[in-house]
Each structure stands twice: as C-alpha cells, then as structure tokens.
Amino acid sequence: MGPETVRSSLRRRLMLSYLLVVVLTVGGVALLAGQLTARQFRALVAQSGQARAQALALYFADFYETQGSWEGVEQAMTHLREAQWQPAGLPLEAASVLPWRVPPPPWLSKETIERWVNLGEPRADRVRLADPDGTILADSHDSHDSPAGPRLPADELARGAPVIIDGERKGTVVVDAGLGRLTPQQRAFVRVIWRRLIGVSILAGFVALALSFGLAREITNPVQALTDAARRLAAGDWDQKLPVQSEDELGQMTHAFNEMAAELTRQTQLRRQMVADIAHELRTPLSVLYLELEALEDGFQSPDEAITSLHGELGLLTQLVEDLRLLAQTDAGELPIHIENTDLGALTSEIVERWESRTAARGVRLAVQTAGDLPPVNTDRTRITQVLTNLLANALRHTPEGGEISIAVDRYRGELEKDTLVAELPAPSSSRPGSAHGECFVEVSVRDTGEGIASTELPNVFERFYRVDRARSRDTGGAGLGLAIARRLVELHGGYIWAESEEGAGSTFTFVLPAEELM
C-alpha cells in the first residue's frame, strides 16, 4: 500500500467518520423534532376539537330543549355544514349587518349565539351526535341524513362532550379532531414539516461532507508531510525539518520528528567520525609495526630495539580494542556489573595512593579530600575505579608541570538547575540529582589546573574519539575514549557526569552516584 493510498484511506475514514457523526446527530434531532412536532400538533388539534365538541353540545342542547326530542336533528347538522355565525363578542343586533348565508335557527338561544366563535364556519372535521346508548343520531359526513346508524365505540363515546338537559345526559357530541384525528389538510401540513426536516438534514449532510473534507485535509496533510520526510530520512537525506504549524498533538508530533531528525543527523555524523577515528587510530600503530618490521629485515634496527617498539605498539592496539569492546558491551547492555556496598571515599583514597608516584614523576601535585560520614554507595568497584582512573589520566594529560590535581568526595548538595552545569549527560532513569524526595547522592570531582576547555568544545568532551586538541599525538592526547567510557559506566550505575571548565584556569569533571541515606 503506497503513501497516496494510505493518505486517501485515512482521509476517507476521517471524512466518513465526521459525516456519520453529523448524519446520525442531525438525523436523530430531525426525527425527534418531527415526532415531537407531530405529537404536539395532534395534541393541539385534539384540544381544539374538544373545545369545539363542548360548544356543539350547547348547540344541540338548545335544539333538544326546543324540540323535546332528537327528531329532525339532521336539519341542525345541516346548519353546521352550511351556516356562518357571528363571531363571539358581537351583540345579537349586529346580525343584521353581517353577511349571513343561512340565518341562525330559531331554536338557538341568544346566550349560545353570543358565546359562539364561528360555530357555523364550514370545516372538514367530522361531527357525530349519538344518543346515551351510543347509537349515532346524525353525522356531518352522512349524505343521506339518516337519523339512525351504527354505534360509536366505547372509547370514542367516553371522549365526547355530553349533551345535558336538566341534569340528564341526552346524547354525546363527538368531533374527530377531539379524538386526535387529522383532516387531509392537517395531514398535509405534517407531511410538509417532515419534508422540511428531511431537506434540512440532507443539506446539513452536504455541509458536513464539505467541512469534513477540509478537516480531514488539515489532519492528513501534516501526517503525509511526516511520512514523506521519514521516507527521505530513511533514504539518507538527513536535512529534514518540518514547519510546526500548530500547538496541538500534530504540532507536537512534528516537533518531536524534527528533534529526532536532528539527533539522527548528529549521531550519523558522530558515527562517521568515529569510523574515521577508528581507522586512524588503527592505521598509526599498524604503520609503525610495518616500519619496524621493515627496519628489522633491512638490518637498520637491532632485534631488541624492534621488540621493545613492537611491544609498545601492540599494547596501544590492545588497549584500543579493549576500550572499543567495553563501549560495545555497555551500548548493548551486556557489560557485567557486580554491585556491592562500597565506601566511595575509601576507594578514592586507594586509587589516589596508586597514582601519587605517577603524578610526582610529572611534577604535578595530587591531593584528595574526603568528607566524613558519607553514605554507602552500591557500585561495582572495578568499574568505578576505571572511571576515576580515566578522569585522573585525562587530568594528568592536560596539567602542566608544577600544576595540581585535586579530588574531592562529598555529599551532593547541588540544585537541580546549576548555572555552572555546562555539559550534563542524561541517565537511564527519568530522575535527576535531587529530583526525587529523599534521594541521596555522593559526588566525586576531579579538578586540574590545566589549560581548560573552550566553551564551544565543552559539550563534546564525552563523545567518542573526541579530542579538544586534535594536533596532539596519541601518546599525549589519547584515543579519545576515556571520557566516553567514564560516562557510560557512570550511567550504568544510575549516576550523572558533567564537566565545568574555564579556559586558561583548568577543568573540573564531576560525577554523582545514588547512595543509601544514613538513618
């Protein structure tokens, strides 16, 4: 599956997801709104029908009181279909000035006329009058005006308006609207509402589709840019930096990618430089070995002199290979560490005693200061000895005759952020010195009075094969692996190491190791 397919697939899924959410939401709202509207409309129609049924009950009551029976009630029903009555609130005398189609029936009382509201306005509502037993006496939709007919269902009869004469129920008026039944015009109105809601839902769906396309592009375009940049990075094009266009998760991912690309570029450059340095470090002793053997074959050098020179070069090769093997083991996590409870102050004093003769031969003073009551440290004595040895060798290499190397062992009392912390290296754990409540560290610092290190060079002193002065020979400058090894060994103990220096005033290398707090 190619990148275009992946992008299209992701964009399609996002668009469909947005569209589905909008359609379900709008469709659900439209369905609910339609049902609530139709239900409320039916309730309003039923309420209006009940009011009309009660008014018609008065109309038919006047007829019954005048006639004394329901005989001729079909004529009263005819008046409902054909007559138009004056509106409520007008006096009866105003009837003469209104355009009546059919005059009010003579048996209708004045009180009923005065309270009437368009009683005789022709309507599509079906009106039925039934006797107390439920037999239909008159039906507004019965073209034959038959006084007799089928019986009304009990539930419809119960919802009708009673016709009461002298406290006795003489009949019941049932209006279809009062039963919640809609006329064709009303049903058409409800259908119009449904069509409008469906139309709005479809329009919302198209709007959502257009918006989802834009939103999906905002998400997939940065993802595609990251994909393309990652492919170029994998192909060896290390100069990859994407613009961070937002502060959201996509922006954070782009920022993380830029950091990763920059770190990969740096590591690649260091690896290339390391390979070149290894080739250089191996070529020099091999060239010396080759020249010594040629001189021995040509008789220009005695066997004893050649053996001494060859032995020295082989020792350098052996040390270089051992250092590389150690670094490879630490990188792979295969270096064996034998942890034991160690008095770091006592261990430092032992190492200083072994180095006193060597520093004295170079005319350099060596001093050590150890604080009392130091908490024990769980370390591998051999590996920490190697760390201190590398730091002492580095200090001695850069301290001129008459200078001084001082070592101090004490509790770590520094703050988390130090203005003097120039080159700090990350440890395997996420914590930092003093960052965890109750943590205790012991620090060892090695200070010399040498030429110091420039601020531009200081961040790189722990890199492999890095030498501040590349003009130095291997005999005086080393292979550039001692500080890198010291860093990795300290990290394996969960510690931290950094360097501080002032050009022309010397350097200080400090490492801290976690210790057990004394009770």
Side-chain angles (χ1 to χ4, degrees), residues 8 16 36 52 73 131 138 144 154 164 168 172 175 243 247 272 304 340 356 362 380-381 391 396-397 477 490 518:
S8 299
L16 291 177
L36 289 177
R52 179 170 169 78
V73 74
D131 62 12
H144 300 290
I164 306 297
E168 184 179 355
T172 303
V175 179
E247 297 297 329
R272 290 173 179 172
D304 291 339
E340 58 181 311
E356 284 180 344
R362 293 282 299 273
D380 185 322
R381 292 174 59 91
L391 294 180
L396 183 60
R397 189 179 298 116
V490 170
L518 294 175

Side-chain angles (χ1 to χ4, degrees), residues 120-132:
E121 182 181 353
R123 296 191 181 185
D125 290 350
R126 185 181 185 183
V127 179
R128 289 171 291 178
L129 175 65
D131 62 12

Side-chain angles (χ1 to χ4, degrees), residues 365-433:
R365 294 185 299 276
L366 181 61
V368 61
Q369 182 178 0
T370 303
D373 298 329
L374 289 175
V377 180
N378 291 323
T379 64
D380 185 322
R381 292 174 59 91
T382 301
R383 301 306 177 189
I384 297 303
T385 298
Q386 191 171 3
V387 172
L388 279 168
T389 299
N390 289 351
L391 294 180
L392 283 170
N394 181 74
L396 183 60
R397 189 179 298 116
H398 294 86
T399 303
E401 185 176 355
E404 181 181 2
I405 299 175
S406 57
I407 302 176
V409 185
D410 199 353
R411 287 175 177 266
Y412 178 77
R413 295 183 174 87
E415 298 295 333
L416 182 60
E417 300 294 338
K418 298 176 61 178
D419 295 335
T420 57
L421 194 61
V422 180
E424 183 177 345
L425 300 172
S429 62
S430 60
S431 60
R432 301 275 297 277

